[in-house]
Amino acid sequence: MSTAPTSFGRHRTKRTNSSRRALALGLAISTLGTGTLALTIPSLAAATPPVCADVLAVMTPGTWETTSDADPRVPVGMLAPVGNSLKTTYGDTVELFYTPYAASAFDQGKTYGDSKATAIDAINDRLRAVASKCPQTEFIFAGYSQGADATGDIASAIGNGKGPISADKVLAVGLLADPGRGTAGESVVGPSAAGTGIADPRPQGMGTLRGRVATICDPHDLYCSIDKSRSSVLGALGTVLSKSPGASTDSPVVGGGSRLATALTSDFSHADLSGMGADVADLTAAVNPPAGQLVNVSNVAHSATSLLGTLSPLADLLTSGAANPASTSRLAGAPAGTSENAASHVLANANNTELADAASTVSQIADAATRLVGSGTTTLPASSPEAGTLVATAATLNNQITPLATTPPEVLGQASSVLAVLKPQVVVDQVLNIATGITAVNYPAILNDLAVLPQKIAALDIAGAHQIAGDLNNQFAPLVTMAAGVDLAWVSQILAAIPDPTGTAQLAATVCNLLSRVDIIRIADNVGQIQEIAWAVLEGNPAALAGLIPIGLDLASAATTMLTGTATHTGTSLLGKESAPPIAPKQITNNSQNRNLSALTNSLTTIAGTPDAENLTALVGQGLDAATFVASGAHTNYTQLTVDNSGRNAIQWLADWFALQIQNAT
């Protein structure tokens, strides 16, 4: 466990501001102990103009802790106590800027990477404005989670001479739960953590800011602590999802343009699930005004557009592989009253609703009304042909949207947070399960028994058929569990888009591609029936034998693809066009496409014995905890994480360290 030293770097001309001396730090941060942390600071420059603060503290909150239109002067989120502490100690000599930005992760129509880009833009704009107006002002930076990702990128740019301010203006940088952890030039505070951040270290390092950047990571936080050499599939997936699909990058893993993150993004930014019933009522009323009144076309357009913002992402969710039986079953198993359980009810009602047709109907109404408003028509007589068309179109909506619109508003509202991030959570969950499941299957034994069982039935070897069917029942269990309710074709495309250098993801994609064309449940049912019939015959019921041959023939037909089929190239049409092919596997060479299961068994056996498989199994055991790292919601323990010998938590340490840097620079 590292702690801050008692002396820091170089010293410049002391500030003559008497109010600063009167606010001399009264914090118990002397005797900080010794450790490996080597942090340095520059001193504050000559007095700034009266209209400028001595220090601008840029605090960037994490995912869902702020919005693009938030007041930057109001402390929010995990870093709120840090800013409050500085303000209490230094008053107006320190200006707080809590970065307002999208702060989303796949739920507001932006990928994680695109959301982070809005933070970087907002910070850089503020830095340029302050540097231009207040050339003597110096800066402190802090970031948490996605905010740390953006802050670390800016610090790296500044340290390498590419930022909006010069490095000598930076007093300190504090990164909390940074997905770019492991960047050269940063100093570790608190317990050591394995590996690096999920988004990979910044290749250019911190440059001349070395010694002024502190990073804190909970060792149990996948977001900032993952050993990608041991968890290659999850690591590669995290790398792709943490980058903007269209952004340039120095990382060869992303390939420069993977559309995976975009495919997993839902746009719930305009959704009002709890207000759905009211929106339907408003739209119905708008196209059916009281007798003698005109149709207000603007109201029609507004109501339809509002409703469309709710229906569209729900319809998209249902048509994707995310709302599959496996994921909905998991949600339904959550305790009553939870958001997950509410989401299961909403999905169940949505599946009983003509949701796609309803979205299309509302879209037609919105488009027609918007065109009328655009042409200058704001009202219509109820008897006009245009109004008649709107009424006729809207008349079909109530039938299409029931029973979803009659779901209690409180249930709809409670489900919103879960449904908005269901895509990335389901993807991580299923990718880990599939990548683990394919190595838990004894393919050689299954293929051999599937070939032999129909022969035993044809030869009327009842005892032999019964034994083999029993073996197959056990062997098929992992396959049935893996495939039950999961869209294997969709998962195959996800896996194919993950550029995992070890080859695990690509091999899993190939196997999924093949298994997606195999009726696993049908085969398992046939095997079970054969076992029962054979047992009945052996128990003295020869009449049961009549049903054995037809089932054996059906089994032979169902098993053909599994026995002789070859996997074709796993395309990523669902995910969008790839600008670069995936990285070629280095460790596993015989997992190319156009292979059958028999040819793939050696590679599957190889993977089963690797540390990667062991780590995948452990992550699958963590369930949703492993999935939520994508949406930045699984790392909130920093107010309890002790980081130094005096017992301070991460938040207290950051506040004290920033204050000490300011004091030592006076």
Side-chain angles (χ1 to χ4, degrees), residues 182-227:
T183 299
E186 62 188 22
S187 301
V188 175
V189 174
S192 60
T196 64
I198 194 71
D200 302 322
R202 300 162 186 91
Q204 301 304 316
M206 291 301 175
T208 57
L209 288 187
R210 175 183 292 273
R212 281 177 271 171
V213 181
T215 185
I216 301 175
C217 175
D218 187 326
H220 301 292
D221 187 349
L222 282 172
Y223 202 56
C224 58
S225 176
I226 180 172
D227 186 348

Side-chain angles (χ1 to χ4, degrees), residues 60-306:
T60 306
T63 304
W64 302 322
E65 289 190 332
T66 189
T67 60
S68 295
D69 58 358
D71 186 342
R73 298 167 297 180
V74 178
V76 294
M78 183 73 73
L79 296 173
V82 179
N84 287 332
S85 176
L86 291 177
K87 204 66 177 174
T88 298
T89 304
Y90 290 100
D92 291 339
T93 58
V94 172
E95 177 187 346
L96 300 182
F97 180 78
Y98 277 77
T99 309
Y101 74 107
S104 63
F106 308 100
D107 59 324
Q108 300 296 309
K110 291 183 181 294
T111 68
Y112 170 92
D114 289 337
S115 173
K116 186 185 79 169
T118 68
I120 292 175
D121 290 343
I123 295 171
N124 282 336
D125 287 347
R126 183 60 180 165
L127 295 182
R128 293 187 187 98
V130 172
S132 174
K133 179 181 177 182
C134 306
Q136 300 303 319
T137 294
E138 305 199 59
F139 300 85
I140 280 176
F141 295 90
Y144 165 62
S145 178
Q146 185 176 160
D149 203 349
T151 300
D153 286 0
I154 288 175
S156 177
I158 293 173
N160 286 283
K162 300 177 181 178
I165 61 174
S166 59
D168 65 338
K169 296 292 185 181
V170 179
L171 296 178
V173 180
L175 305 177
L176 198 63
D178 176 24
R181 190 185 66 81
T183 299
E186 62 188 22
S187 301
V188 175
V189 174
S192 60
T196 64
I198 194 71
D200 302 322
R202 300 162 186 91
Q204 301 304 316
M206 291 301 175
T208 57
L209 288 187
R210 175 183 292 273
R212 281 177 271 171
V213 181
T215 185
I216 301 175
C217 175
D218 187 326
H220 301 292
D221 187 349
L222 282 172
Y223 202 56
C224 58
S225 176
I226 180 172
D227 186 348
K228 293 192 176 185
S229 66
R230 293 182 58 85
S231 301
S232 62
V233 174
L234 181 61
L237 182 61
T239 298
V240 171
L241 296 185
S242 63
K243 301 294 189 294
S244 297
S248 61
T249 175
D250 295 321
S251 172
V253 178
V254 178
S258 170
R259 306 308 299 177
L260 174 59
T262 298
L264 303 184
T265 300
S266 296
D267 188 0
F268 277 77
S269 59
H270 302 292
D272 180 13
L273 286 176
S274 60
M276 184 188 305
D279 282 343
V280 173
D282 288 346
L283 180 58
T284 302
V287 297
N288 294 283
Q293 294 188 18
L294 298 174
V295 174
N296 188 316
V297 182
S298 297
N299 287 348
V300 173
H302 175 77
S303 296
T305 301
S306 177

Side-chain angles (χ1 to χ4, degrees), residues 267-520:
D267 188 0
F268 277 77
S269 59
H270 302 292
D272 180 13
L273 286 176
S274 60
M276 184 188 305
D279 282 343
V280 173
D282 288 346
L283 180 58
T284 302
V287 297
N288 294 283
Q293 294 188 18
L294 298 174
V295 174
N296 188 316
V297 182
S298 297
N299 287 348
V300 173
H302 175 77
S303 296
T305 301
S306 177
L307 184 57
L308 188 62
T310 300
L311 297 181
S312 293
L314 275 178
D316 173 66
L317 200 58
L318 289 186
T319 56
S320 76
N324 59 65
S327 64
T328 53
S329 175
R330 176 182 59 76
L331 293 173
T338 62
S339 298
E340 288 76 12
N341 189 267
S344 73
H345 287 293
V346 173
L347 288 175
N349 289 342
N351 276 313
N352 292 324
T353 299
E354 298 174 28
L355 196 55
D357 291 339
S360 176
T361 296
V362 176
S363 179
Q364 292 176 40
I365 296 172
D367 289 344
T370 300
R371 284 196 299 270
L372 287 170
V373 171
S375 67
T377 303
T378 57
T379 59
L380 288 171
S383 59
S384 67
E386 294 87 352
T389 300
L390 290 174
V391 171
T393 306
T396 64
L397 180 61
N398 283 328
N399 291 331
Q400 293 171 336
I401 205 169
T402 305
L404 183 61
T406 57
T407 305
E410 61 272 16
V411 174
L412 288 164
Q414 194 176 13
S416 296
S417 61
V418 174
L419 296 177
V421 294
L422 189 62
K423 280 187 182 180
Q425 289 183 348
V426 167
V427 164
V428 175
D429 187 45
Q430 290 191 356
V431 163
L432 296 182
N433 274 286
I434 295 296
T436 303
I438 63 167
T439 64
V441 178
N442 188 343
Y443 294 99
I446 287 178
L447 296 175
N448 179 71
D449 288 348
L450 280 178
V452 172
L453 183 55
Q455 299 173 17
K456 293 289 185 181
I457 294 173
L460 297 181
D461 182 353
I462 307 303
H466 180 264
Q467 180 180 348
I468 292 175
D471 291 341
L472 273 172
N473 260 333
N474 294 328
Q475 294 160 359
F476 245 77
L479 273 179
V480 172
T481 300
M482 181 177 70
V486 175
D487 186 342
L488 285 173
W490 188 64
V491 175
S492 176
Q493 293 189 54
I494 299 293
L495 286 162
I498 300 175
D500 167 29
T502 69
T504 302
Q506 296 303 305
L507 178 56
T510 303
V511 174
C512 281
N513 174 277
L514 182 58
L515 294 180
S516 69
R517 292 179 280 118
V518 174
D519 194 337
I520 293 173

